[in-house]
Every structure is written in structure tokens, then in C-alpha cells.
Amino acid sequence: MLGFVPLAVAAPSPCPQHSPGGQAPYLRNPRLAVRLDDLCLDASAVGHSGVTRTPLWSAESLKAEAIRPMRELPCEGSFHAELRD
């Protein structure tokens, strides 16, 4: 009988409110996970690599009831830095 061996098992996310099923993305290259910082922001999460010094992934939970009111907000010049804990 043949068995199925998964390529990866997702780990619990430190920012479960922004991750599908509360699971962090799996990095296929283990060298990138050595110095990975999970940044939990108010509206999103980012996996930042200390190796490449770039984001490796980002996640945001979008729900229709949160998006509808945004249609009325002006977008021009509304970018700002997010606060982190």
C-alpha cells in the first residue's frame, strides 16, 4: 500500500487572525527560515527575512463587512506607517 507523505506541515502562526486557518506559511527553503521575523500588525502580518532583508510573505484577513465602508474613504495621500506591539 502506498502512503501519502505531505511535503510540509504548517506551523501555528504567531498572528493567527491574519493567517488562513491560523497557520503560518511554509517556507520551502529552510535557509530562509533561519532568521525569520513574524511581524504582527493591526491589519496584516508579514514574514520578514533577516537573510534576504525582504518580506517573504504577507497576509491580511479581508471580510466583506470590513471592505464595504472603505469604498467611501478617500485614498489619495492616506498611506501611513502601522504601529506594532
Side-chain angles (χ1 to χ4, degrees):
M1 182 166 105
L2 296 174
F4 173 73
V5 178
L7 293 176
V9 176
S13 172
C15 314
Q17 68 277 22
H18 301 306
S19 301
Q23 301 297 303
Y26 171 74
L27 297 177
R28 298 180 89 175
N29 184 339
R31 291 179 286 178
L32 294 176
V34 173
R35 292 175 23 212
L36 180 67
D37 288 319
D38 292 313
L39 308 175
C40 299
L41 306 171
D42 290 337
S44 62
V46 177
H48 185 270
S49 170
V51 175
T52 64
R53 297 182 181 176
T54 61
L56 298 179
W57 57 264
S58 65
E60 180 178 6
S61 177
L62 297 175
K63 296 184 170 105
E65 61 270 12
I67 295 172
R68 283 188 197 103
M70 303 295 178
R71 293 179 183 169
E72 306 302 320
L73 293 176
C75 294
E76 190 172 322
S78 64
F79 290 98
H80 61 278
E82 278 222 48
L83 302 175
R84 292 189 313 175
D85 293 338

